Amino acid sequence: MTRVRVREAQVQQLLPGPLRMIVVAVLLLLVGAPMAYVGLASVNSDLDVVAGEFWPSHLVLGNYVSIWSTVDLGSGLLNSFIVCGAVALTCVAVSLGSAYVLVRYAFRGKAMILRGLLALQSVPGTLLVLPVFVLFASTANAVGVQIIGTRWALIVTYLTFALPFSTWVMVTYLRGLPAELDEAAVIDGATPRQILLRIVLPLSWPGMVVSGIFAFLLGWNDVLYASVLTAPDTRTAAVALQVFGATQEGGAIPPYGQLMAAALVCAVPVVALYLVFQRYLVSGLTAGGVK
């Protein structure tokens, strides 16, 4: 028994111990060095950043105070939270019900729908910017309701790209849940709705977290669609940073410290999201990998 465990441990260790430590150290250096530079530059003066100083000679904490007025970061973060939160919650709810039907029921066209979900992932988003803009503009003229420049335009656009991926993630996860649970619930007199809400939903948290986080990040990191479909009062945080950086071009010394500070503030919600849901994220990504 001990030999079997030793062999399993040897198989799991694909690299020798010292070499594995070297690889991990190099990866940490590649990821940590840029983040360390951004963090130090955010509390450094603009002149020192231009001079190439890595370690600040004196701390400039005022950069974190100035960004709320110069970058208009507060409004951008609020719009990002509203849009991305709505997209994530909608994706989780819709993808769970859609995936449950695709996994548990047999009907004509089921395989075509699954292939379509994969095919939609291969369409580059940049090719659809102009068609989406024209569609929203034409719909607004026909209905008489403003669409472009509102948060709803971004929410609908992000759902178009996030829902297929979220549904496929949930399909992969629900395939790992035993169908015997549904059969036992049916014997006890449960309806399909009760099975979905009382049995499948509590067991699907890892998959729901994965689909929700990826849907959230899709909108949080997007600049292309957000810059085209928003107005000054509905700009997301990513667009606010882009506009602030573009307006500083051509000046004497760009406010590098404020740019770095704003970038770190925008990264904090994403990092916190990963830290809070890390356990569910790992189990959700690996679900369906081993049968």
Side-chain angles (χ1 to χ4, degrees):
M1 194 68 175
T2 305
R3 293 180 179 179
V4 174
R5 293 180 179 178
V6 172
R7 291 179 180 178
E8 290 179 353
Q10 292 176 350
V11 172
Q12 292 176 357
Q13 294 179 359
L14 299 179
L15 296 176
L19 182 59
R20 187 170 64 255
M21 294 178 61
I22 294 175
V23 172
V24 172
V26 171
L27 293 177
L28 289 177
L29 181 63
L30 292 176
V31 176
M35 294 302 300
Y37 177 77
V38 172
L40 293 174
S42 66
V43 294
N44 201 356
S45 63
D46 300 331
L47 291 175
D48 293 339
V49 174
V50 173
E53 294 186 5
F54 183 80
W55 194 265
S57 56
H58 60 281
L59 298 180
V60 184
L61 300 178
N63 292 329
Y64 287 92
V65 179
S66 302
I67 56 177
W68 302 103
S69 57
T70 57
V71 187
D72 193 19
L73 197 59
S75 176
L77 288 173
L78 178 61
N79 292 326
S80 293
F81 276 116
I82 293 175
V83 172
C84 300
V87 172
L89 293 177
T90 305
C91 279
V92 169
V94 176
S95 62
L96 177 62
S98 303
Y100 180 75
V101 173
L102 291 172
V103 172
R104 290 292 189 258
Y105 294 92
F107 54 91
R108 182 176 299 178
K110 174 181 175 179
M112 185 178 298
I113 294 176
L114 293 174
R115 294 190 187 100
L117 293 176
L118 289 177
L120 289 174
Q121 301 301 313
S122 62
V123 180
T126 54
L127 296 180
L128 300 178
V129 176
L130 183 59
V132 169
F133 183 86
V134 173
L135 177 63
F136 284 163
S138 302
T139 304
N141 292 332
V143 180
V145 178
Q146 182 181 0
I147 299 178
I148 298 176
T150 63
R151 299 189 186 101
W152 288 107
L154 278 182
I155 293 174
V156 173
T157 302
Y158 293 153
L159 284 176
T160 305
F161 297 100
L163 268 177
F165 179 79
S166 298
T167 303
W168 187 257
V169 169
M170 293 306 303
V171 166
T172 305
Y173 185 83
L174 292 183
R175 282 175 175 172
L177 295 180
E180 289 77 7
L181 296 175
D182 297 9
E183 297 173 358
V186 171
I187 294 175
D188 292 337
T191 63
R193 181 178 179 181
Q194 291 174 337
I195 295 174
L196 177 62
L197 297 179
R198 297 184 180 182
I199 297 178
V200 177
L201 190 147
L203 296 175
S204 303
W205 279 110
M208 294 166 60
V209 168
V210 171
S211 61
I213 287 179
F214 276 92
F216 186 91
L217 293 180
L218 175 67
W220 189 270
N221 297 326
D222 174 68
V223 178
L224 180 61
Y225 285 92
S227 61
V228 174
L229 300 177
T230 58
D233 58 337
T234 58
R235 287 173 179 166
T236 59
V239 179
L241 288 177
Q242 182 195 35
V243 172
F244 178 69
T247 55
Q248 304 302 321
E249 294 180 358
I253 299 178
Y256 290 113
Q258 296 184 32
L259 286 173
M260 300 298 180
L264 282 181
V265 171
C266 292
V268 167
V270 178
V271 175
L273 197 65
Y274 272 103
L275 293 178
V276 171
F277 296 104
Q278 180 181 9
R279 178 167 60 92
Y280 295 103
L281 186 65
V282 173
S283 57
L285 287 174
T286 56
V290 179
K291 296 293 184 182

